[in-house]
Amino acid sequence: MKQILILAYKLLVNDKGKYFALLVGTTFSVFLIVQMTSSFAGILTKASATVINIGASIWVMDPAATNSVLSNVPMPDYVLDAVRSINGVKYAVPLYSGTALVKLRDGTYQAVSVIGLDDSSLVGRPKLLEGDIDDIFAENGFIVVKDEEFPKLENPKIGTDFELNDYRGVIVGIATVPTGALYGTPTLYTTYYRAITYIPSMRFTISYVLVQPKADSDIPYIKQQVTRLGYLALTNHEYQNAISSYLEYKTSIGTNTLLMTIISFLVGLSICGQTFYTFIIENLEHFGALKAMGAKGRELVYVILFQAGFTALVGYGLGVGLSTLLITAAKLRLPEYTSRLTYTNLSLAFLMVLIIASISGYAGVRRVLRIEPFEIFRG
Amino acid sequence: MPKAAIAADKLNRWFGVGEARTYAVKEVSFEANWGEMLYIVGPSGSGKTTLLSMISGILRPNSGSVAIDGRDLWSQSDDEIADFRLNTIGFVFQDYHLFPRLTTAENVAIPLILQKRNWGEALSAATQCLKIVDLADKAQLPPTKLSGGEQQRVAIARAIVHQPRILVFDEPTASLDGETGRKIVSFVKAEILTSKRCIIMVTHDSRIFEYSNRIMEMEDGRITGFQQGQTV
């Protein structure tokens, strides 16, 4: 078997023109598939940025608001007390999440996301790069996240002040978070009380109740009790999935990405399928000669499947490498570039390239199995 | 009594159905012996290549039988017939059918590769065969860099590399000038034909008739006569 596969390899790669065309087709297809799905994965991750950055085990929310952290429906204070009274809850704290316009020192306005942390515990606080966390309790204290949106606040330093609804705000700390936000706005952290004071809100003010269970085994019971209250409790992972599902199935982002991925697949399939089929047709007399000399049908099938599979694997490697290079280069130049390579993306691209190879190989196998050595003999 | 190398009995092969049925080979019976170089000659369309295909395990006859060294060929399974072609027959095709993307040595090694022999061992044996056909210095060239006569010799080397007992040549001199054709056939008779080997050659090149042991004439799918080669 090994000898025949070496022969298959030589017949493939020594036909440099065709082999190059096959590789270009596969590489281009994988590149497009990986680019599209990586961009989508990046969007999904950034859409869940607050959930990831706050890191609470359980998020209690109004069931009508699971699409995004910013589109929450405020809950009354008694929900917090009721959740705290559920057996299995270690602690529960309120969280404010909203948007506001801040007036910068040069007189311009900039939209920001504001996160209000529980005043007594500061659960969900970011990691500070500069400043002291206790200063958040100082008058007008805000912590700014140093991410790709940071320059939009004119690269503030500790002590930089701004105006928020006629209130003065002062930067008392500069922080970093695991994931930057999707919506292109800088993020400010402050205390819950200051957030609801500075930002006009509705009758109810609690965006989320963050819950820490005593044990993981308590989670189902807590979720059940929260449901009985008429609210929804989601684990961190479930909430991220809910946000992802919304983007995937209820916005045009998911549909467009899916369409582009399918188009990339079809482009790859048509280029590779056509080129590989042409490759087989041009070598048909050689396959016939091999058959006449004693090669069995299944051995010729192995030859073709090896050639299709080898091309697919090399093209896959090149496509993934090219995508990685481009994403890395783009992130160096454009920090807000939203793209993320995940095992799911890579697996999807691998699956698609295998389908491309299978369909291309199948067309070739059908043709080769039909050839009669007698036709070769007759010339 | 030694068995014939090839014994064909009442072979029939037709193409088409109903009124369109045309006999390519009709009621053909003959024997070829070990140590013999048998020519099959006749005009185009006389059934030479069809007959050659049936006795070499390539084309199944509609009726009749072929025995190779006493063993019935067409009662075997497809895999067994493929093995028969691989181990017992050496083919020299009319258009050579060399692989342009492989080197000359790799081309010659193909039957050994199909026999699942080690790649290095196969190349070594192929190089030895190229020495026999006086092309050892061209082993690393692609066949496209060789002349027609050289390509023919590569095809012969490929046909003998796995030591087959029966060699089948289809119009071996069709693409060669008279001098080169004679040289090659003379070489085949002198160097390749042995008492344990049988060579069947389809040709209509009368310039090489002198090298045959026996000539079988065909017309309209039937055998019309046998003659001794040198006497033609």
Side-chain angles (χ1 to χ4, degrees), chain A residues 308-327:
Chain A
F310 182 79
T311 306
L313 286 180
V314 175
Y316 175 76
L318 290 174
V320 169
L322 199 60
S323 289
T324 310
L325 271 179
L326 186 81
I327 291 170

PDB file of all heavy atoms in Angstrom, chain A residues 308-327:
ATOM      1  N   ALA A 308      -6.489  13.382  -3.365  1.00  0.00           N
ATOM      2  CA  ALA A 308      -7.468  14.394  -2.937  1.00  0.00           C
ATOM      3  C   ALA A 308      -7.239  14.754  -1.467  1.00  0.00           C
ATOM      4  O   ALA A 308      -7.237  15.932  -1.097  1.00  0.00           O
ATOM      5  CB  ALA A 308      -8.882  13.861  -3.142  1.00  0.00           C
ATOM      6  N   GLY A 309      -7.012  13.740  -0.637  1.00  0.00           N
ATOM      7  CA  GLY A 309      -6.820  13.972   0.794  1.00  0.00           C
ATOM      8  C   GLY A 309      -5.538  14.736   1.084  1.00  0.00           C
ATOM      9  O   GLY A 309      -5.532  15.663   1.897  1.00  0.00           O
ATOM     10  N   PHE A 310      -4.472  14.382   0.381  1.00  0.00           N
ATOM     11  CA  PHE A 310      -3.188  15.061   0.598  1.00  0.00           C
ATOM     12  C   PHE A 310      -3.304  16.539   0.222  1.00  0.00           C
ATOM     13  O   PHE A 310      -2.863  17.423   0.964  1.00  0.00           O
ATOM     14  CB  PHE A 310      -2.105  14.377  -0.246  1.00  0.00           C
ATOM     15  CG  PHE A 310      -0.734  14.959  -0.056  1.00  0.00           C
ATOM     16  CD1 PHE A 310       0.032  14.623   1.046  1.00  0.00           C
ATOM     17  CD2 PHE A 310      -0.220  15.854  -0.972  1.00  0.00           C
ATOM     18  CE1 PHE A 310       1.291  15.174   1.226  1.00  0.00           C
ATOM     19  CE2 PHE A 310       1.030  16.403  -0.809  1.00  0.00           C
ATOM     20  CZ  PHE A 310       1.792  16.062   0.299  1.00  0.00           C
ATOM     21  N   THR A 311      -3.922  16.791  -0.932  1.00  0.00           N
ATOM     22  CA  THR A 311      -4.095  18.181  -1.367  1.00  0.00           C
ATOM     23  C   THR A 311      -4.937  18.943  -0.338  1.00  0.00           C
ATOM     24  O   THR A 311      -4.630  20.084   0.008  1.00  0.00           O
ATOM     25  CB  THR A 311      -4.816  18.216  -2.731  1.00  0.00           C
ATOM     26  OG1 THR A 311      -4.093  17.388  -3.633  1.00  0.00           O
ATOM     27  CG2 THR A 311      -4.894  19.615  -3.283  1.00  0.00           C
ATOM     28  N   ALA A 312      -5.989  18.289   0.155  1.00  0.00           N
ATOM     29  CA  ALA A 312      -6.867  18.947   1.121  1.00  0.00           C
ATOM     30  C   ALA A 312      -6.101  19.292   2.400  1.00  0.00           C
ATOM     31  O   ALA A 312      -6.223  20.404   2.918  1.00  0.00           O
ATOM     32  CB  ALA A 312      -8.045  18.036   1.449  1.00  0.00           C
ATOM     33  N   LEU A 313      -5.274  18.353   2.870  1.00  0.00           N
ATOM     34  CA  LEU A 313      -4.551  18.597   4.124  1.00  0.00           C
ATOM     35  C   LEU A 313      -3.527  19.711   3.965  1.00  0.00           C
ATOM     36  O   LEU A 313      -3.410  20.589   4.823  1.00  0.00           O
ATOM     37  CB  LEU A 313      -3.858  17.311   4.595  1.00  0.00           C
ATOM     38  CG  LEU A 313      -4.798  16.263   5.191  1.00  0.00           C
ATOM     39  CD1 LEU A 313      -4.011  15.036   5.616  1.00  0.00           C
ATOM     40  CD2 LEU A 313      -5.557  16.826   6.381  1.00  0.00           C
ATOM     41  N   VAL A 314      -2.778  19.669   2.851  1.00  0.00           N
ATOM     42  CA  VAL A 314      -1.772  20.725   2.635  1.00  0.00           C
ATOM     43  C   VAL A 314      -2.485  22.079   2.467  1.00  0.00           C
ATOM     44  O   VAL A 314      -2.079  23.089   3.053  1.00  0.00           O
ATOM     45  CB  VAL A 314      -0.895  20.412   1.400  1.00  0.00           C
ATOM     46  CG1 VAL A 314       0.054  21.555   1.102  1.00  0.00           C
ATOM     47  CG2 VAL A 314      -0.094  19.137   1.645  1.00  0.00           C
ATOM     48  N   GLY A 315      -3.570  22.077   1.689  1.00  0.00           N
ATOM     49  CA  GLY A 315      -4.329  23.318   1.490  1.00  0.00           C
ATOM     50  C   GLY A 315      -4.903  23.823   2.801  1.00  0.00           C
ATOM     51  O   GLY A 315      -4.914  25.024   3.063  1.00  0.00           O
ATOM     52  N   TYR A 316      -5.341  22.884   3.634  1.00  0.00           N
ATOM     53  CA  TYR A 316      -5.897  23.263   4.940  1.00  0.00           C
ATOM     54  C   TYR A 316      -4.803  23.937   5.792  1.00  0.00           C
ATOM     55  O   TYR A 316      -5.026  25.004   6.374  1.00  0.00           O
ATOM     56  CB  TYR A 316      -6.429  22.017   5.649  1.00  0.00           C
ATOM     57  CG  TYR A 316      -6.921  22.264   7.054  1.00  0.00           C
ATOM     58  CD1 TYR A 316      -8.140  22.884   7.270  1.00  0.00           C
ATOM     59  CD2 TYR A 316      -6.170  21.885   8.150  1.00  0.00           C
ATOM     60  CE1 TYR A 316      -8.595  23.128   8.554  1.00  0.00           C
ATOM     61  CE2 TYR A 316      -6.612  22.117   9.433  1.00  0.00           C
ATOM     62  CZ  TYR A 316      -7.828  22.738   9.632  1.00  0.00           C
ATOM     63  OH  TYR A 316      -8.258  22.975  10.909  1.00  0.00           O
ATOM     64  N   GLY A 317      -3.634  23.308   5.817  1.00  0.00           N
ATOM     65  CA  GLY A 317      -2.526  23.870   6.592  1.00  0.00           C
ATOM     66  C   GLY A 317      -2.155  25.259   6.104  1.00  0.00           C
ATOM     67  O   GLY A 317      -1.994  26.200   6.894  1.00  0.00           O
ATOM     68  N   LEU A 318      -2.051  25.397   4.781  1.00  0.00           N
ATOM     69  CA  LEU A 318      -1.687  26.702   4.216  1.00  0.00           C
ATOM     70  C   LEU A 318      -2.775  27.740   4.498  1.00  0.00           C
ATOM     71  O   LEU A 318      -2.480  28.889   4.838  1.00  0.00           O
ATOM     72  CB  LEU A 318      -1.468  26.579   2.706  1.00  0.00           C
ATOM     73  CG  LEU A 318      -0.217  25.814   2.268  1.00  0.00           C
ATOM     74  CD1 LEU A 318      -0.201  25.631   0.755  1.00  0.00           C
ATOM     75  CD2 LEU A 318       1.036  26.555   2.706  1.00  0.00           C
ATOM     76  N   GLY A 319      -4.031  27.321   4.348  1.00  0.00           N
ATOM     77  CA  GLY A 319      -5.143  28.250   4.568  1.00  0.00           C
ATOM     78  C   GLY A 319      -5.194  28.730   6.008  1.00  0.00           C
ATOM     79  O   GLY A 319      -5.349  29.922   6.271  1.00  0.00           O
ATOM     80  N   VAL A 320      -5.022  27.794   6.949  1.00  0.00           N
ATOM     81  CA  VAL A 320      -5.048  28.166   8.370  1.00  0.00           C
ATOM     82  C   VAL A 320      -3.839  29.056   8.693  1.00  0.00           C
ATOM     83  O   VAL A 320      -3.960  30.062   9.397  1.00  0.00           O
ATOM     84  CB  VAL A 320      -5.058  26.903   9.267  1.00  0.00           C
ATOM     85  CG1 VAL A 320      -4.826  27.269  10.721  1.00  0.00           C
ATOM     86  CG2 VAL A 320      -6.382  26.174   9.121  1.00  0.00           C
ATOM     87  N   GLY A 321      -2.686  28.698   8.127  1.00  0.00           N
ATOM     88  CA  GLY A 321      -1.480  29.507   8.352  1.00  0.00           C
ATOM     89  C   GLY A 321      -1.664  30.925   7.831  1.00  0.00           C
ATOM     90  O   GLY A 321      -1.331  31.905   8.521  1.00  0.00           O
ATOM     91  N   LEU A 322      -2.213  31.026   6.642  1.00  0.00           N
ATOM     92  CA  LEU A 322      -2.437  32.343   6.036  1.00  0.00           C
ATOM     93  C   LEU A 322      -3.424  33.159   6.874  1.00  0.00           C
ATOM     94  O   LEU A 322      -3.208  34.362   7.116  1.00  0.00           O
ATOM     95  CB  LEU A 322      -2.993  32.138   4.616  1.00  0.00           C
ATOM     96  CG  LEU A 322      -2.887  33.293   3.649  1.00  0.00           C
ATOM     97  CD1 LEU A 322      -1.447  33.689   3.430  1.00  0.00           C
ATOM     98  CD2 LEU A 322      -3.522  32.905   2.314  1.00  0.00           C
ATOM     99  N   SER A 323      -4.477  32.507   7.335  1.00  0.00           N
ATOM    100  CA  SER A 323      -5.472  33.198   8.172  1.00  0.00           C
ATOM    101  C   SER A 323      -4.828  33.688   9.467  1.00  0.00           C
ATOM    102  O   SER A 323      -5.055  34.823   9.893  1.00  0.00           O
ATOM    103  CB  SER A 323      -6.613  32.250   8.536  1.00  0.00           C
ATOM    104  OG  SER A 323      -7.383  32.000   7.426  1.00  0.00           O
ATOM    105  N   THR A 324      -4.031  32.819  10.074  1.00  0.00           N
ATOM    106  CA  THR A 324      -3.383  33.185  11.336  1.00  0.00           C
ATOM    107  C   THR A 324      -2.475  34.390  11.131  1.00  0.00           C
ATOM    108  O   THR A 324      -2.475  35.331  11.933  1.00  0.00           O
ATOM    109  CB  THR A 324      -2.556  31.997  11.875  1.00  0.00           C
ATOM    110  OG1 THR A 324      -3.387  30.852  11.868  1.00  0.00           O
ATOM    111  CG2 THR A 324      -2.046  32.249  13.267  1.00  0.00           C
ATOM    112  N   LEU A 325      -1.709  34.344  10.031  1.00  0.00           N
ATOM    113  CA  LEU A 325      -0.814  35.468   9.730  1.00  0.00           C
ATOM    114  C   LEU A 325      -1.610  36.760   9.575  1.00  0.00           C
ATOM    115  O   LEU A 325      -1.255  37.803  10.123  1.00  0.00           O
ATOM    116  CB  LEU A 325      -0.055  35.193   8.428  1.00  0.00           C
ATOM    117  CG  LEU A 325       1.269  34.454   8.539  1.00  0.00           C
ATOM    118  CD1 LEU A 325       1.875  34.255   7.150  1.00  0.00           C
ATOM    119  CD2 LEU A 325       2.238  35.269   9.398  1.00  0.00           C
ATOM    120  N   LEU A 326      -2.692  36.675   8.805  1.00  0.00           N
ATOM    121  CA  LEU A 326      -3.473  37.880   8.540  1.00  0.00           C
ATOM    122  C   LEU A 326      -4.115  38.417   9.812  1.00  0.00           C
ATOM    123  O   LEU A 326      -4.072  39.622  10.073  1.00  0.00           O
ATOM    124  CB  LEU A 326      -4.562  37.580   7.505  1.00  0.00           C
ATOM    125  CG  LEU A 326      -5.315  38.833   7.080  1.00  0.00           C
ATOM    126  CD1 LEU A 326      -4.534  39.605   6.041  1.00  0.00           C
ATOM    127  CD2 LEU A 326      -6.683  38.498   6.551  1.00  0.00           C
ATOM    128  N   ILE A 327      -4.669  37.517  10.635  1.00  0.00           N
ATOM    129  CA  ILE A 327      -5.319  37.956  11.877  1.00  0.00           C
ATOM    130  C   ILE A 327      -4.294  38.590  12.813  1.00  0.00           C
ATOM    131  O   ILE A 327      -4.526  39.651  13.394  1.00  0.00           O
ATOM    132  CB  ILE A 327      -6.034  36.767  12.564  1.00  0.00           C
ATOM    133  CG1 ILE A 327      -7.240  36.342  11.718  1.00  0.00           C
ATOM    134  CG2 ILE A 327      -6.477  37.127  13.970  1.00  0.00           C
ATOM    135  CD1 ILE A 327      -7.888  35.043  12.149  1.00  0.00           C
TER     136      ILE A 327
END
